[in-house]
Amino acid sequence: MAVIAELKARKGSLNWGIAALMGFATVSHLRAVVVLAAISLASFLPGFFEIPPVDRDEPRFAQASKQMIETGDYIDIRFQDETRYKKPVGIYWLQVATVKIAEAAGVPRARTRVGLYRIPSLIGAIGAVLLTYWAALAFVSRRAALMAGAMMATSILLGVEARLATTDAMLLLSAVAALGAMARAYLVEQGDRATGLSPLVNAAIFWSAIAVGILIKGPVILMFVGFAAIVLVAADRSADWLLRLKPMVGVPWALALVMPWFLAILFRSGGNFFSDALGQDMLAKVTGGQETHGMPPGYYFVAFWETFFPGAMLAGLAAPAVWRARTEPGCKILLAWIVPSWIAFELVPTKLPHYVLPLYPAFAILIAGVIDSHALSHHRWLVRGTIWWFILMMVVALSLIALQIVVGQRLGLLTWSFGAAAVIFSLFAWLLYRVDGAEASLMRAAAASIMLSFAAYGATIPGLRGLFPSVGLANYMHGANCIDPVAATAGFHEPSLVFLAGTNTNLSVGSSAADFLLGGPCRFAFVESRQERAFVQRADAIGLRYTTGPRIEGFNINSGQTVNIATYRSERGP
């Protein structure tokens, strides 16, 4: 059938270079894994260590991890003096471990290198790509599984999350592992697919992944797994296959992994962690548009066509075959993976693109299975949709060039070069779709996505210093040949500045910043233009002596406003 078909003889004039690469990669699982790892690194590494901390969530996570290292307290989660109880401890432990290894290896200033805090996300993203390949093998041929992994490796959304020191790439890894293991249990019970994996090992993967997901992002993983299981049980009117996951052993195992920290934080916080995480964070998102992220239903459907590039352009072509195969076990579980969680996210008022990321591997497997069985639709209006490979690349490439010229104030020849390569690959993906087939066009579009990665993250964003004013402020302070400098900031309170300037950074207003400078030498004040008058008036009133430093101009990507920040340094009295 369309979704679980084995490799068939290929017809048509498939591009021989791409066919040779696919043939080489699918000789063995080892080769496939190596090729997918290489594609992932090419997609995720450009700009990985060069892009400064991106406000606001990333530096909040990184700063909380940094404070764990500074205090030696690996139970509580804090951003400066405030508790940070929105997410469990898993991602912080991973970031702490990475930074401590880097420090032991002699990496200078490891604690303020945000790239080190991103390494768990990089590992999570690569792991998710490889696990997509592993999960796909329960449904499709090795060649199709490779295509599914390549779709994930070059998807726009995963490329973003791989570069952010947040929870979502690691959550994706745990979700793919859990749902892939659940799929194997279901398919074996249905007699649809044999597997060489021991039932005990499969169950261990499932419950361990559940535990990791809970430690990373709380009960969200239970929604993905639970909704899929409920739909399958309701559709089949049988829950016998769940016994293959050995819940009598697995549930205690998962609890043993997660309960020690949850009990520790319960005693430490007096229950505040659970009220904050479940009440103020999760339930607030369900009942309203939290933090200005409210969007109407349909948001994820629209975003899908950009965030799942290049695979999304074939989703419409695959849809008729998927619909025909919807009652088959393989297709049924993949749809159960996607549909109920997707509907839930569309109904929840708070929406961010990465919320549906754990559903993308199922899309990739469905699309790859249809490609592999030559069942893509030939309807003219659907085939014409492949032009979006080219249109989207053209729009993004031109936008990057405009950013270089307008914001970066430079021509940006590397952006032009990689952007042109992305456009050319996408152009041939579209123009040669009917000639070389979907597989070759998909791989060309994947190459376009990699070129886009180099253009955006490697050549453009790191050079747009105006988007990262915290870097200029921190560089001024740390370059002042001062022992133990400390800063106060008025009007610019972004977490990136706390991460780069130091945990003791004082978030204040203009008048308080003047009082702060009076407190002693080696003190710095960063005063946004709207707070300057209050600062100067207070400085005159208290007789403050200070030196003026460089003025930092830039753009606050969260507020959408330009910022103009004056810098001051305290002077010793006569």
Side-chain angles (χ1 to χ4, degrees), residues 472-473 476 524-527 547-552 565-569:
L473 297 171
Y476 164 65
F524 297 80
F526 307 138
V527 183
T547 357
T548 302
R551 184 172 289 273
I552 306 297
I565 306 170
T567 60
Y568 304 99
R569 179 179 177 178

Side-chain angles (χ1 to χ4, degrees), residues 63 66 70 80 477-478 497-505:
Q63 174 61 27
K66 179 156 70 85
E70 292 170 347
Q80 294 190 304
M477 185 180 81
H478 292 303
L497 183 57
V498 177
F499 174 74
L500 294 171
T503 302
N504 293 328
T505 300

Side-chain angles (χ1 to χ4, degrees), residues 83 85 265-266 269-277:
T83 57
Y85 289 160
I265 195 64
L266 175 64
S269 69
N272 289 337
F273 171 81
F274 295 98
S275 62
D276 288 356

Side-chain angles (χ1 to χ4, degrees), residues 499-537:
F499 174 74
L500 294 171
T503 302
N504 293 328
T505 300
N506 188 295
L507 307 182
S508 63
V509 294
S511 57
S512 299
D515 291 329
F516 174 84
L517 282 190
L518 192 63
C522 237
R523 294 192 170 208
F524 297 80
F526 307 138
V527 183
E528 210 275 327
S529 58
R530 299 171 185 84
Q531 296 282 331
E532 276 191 86
R533 182 176 180 182
F535 172 85
V536 172
Q537 288 177 341

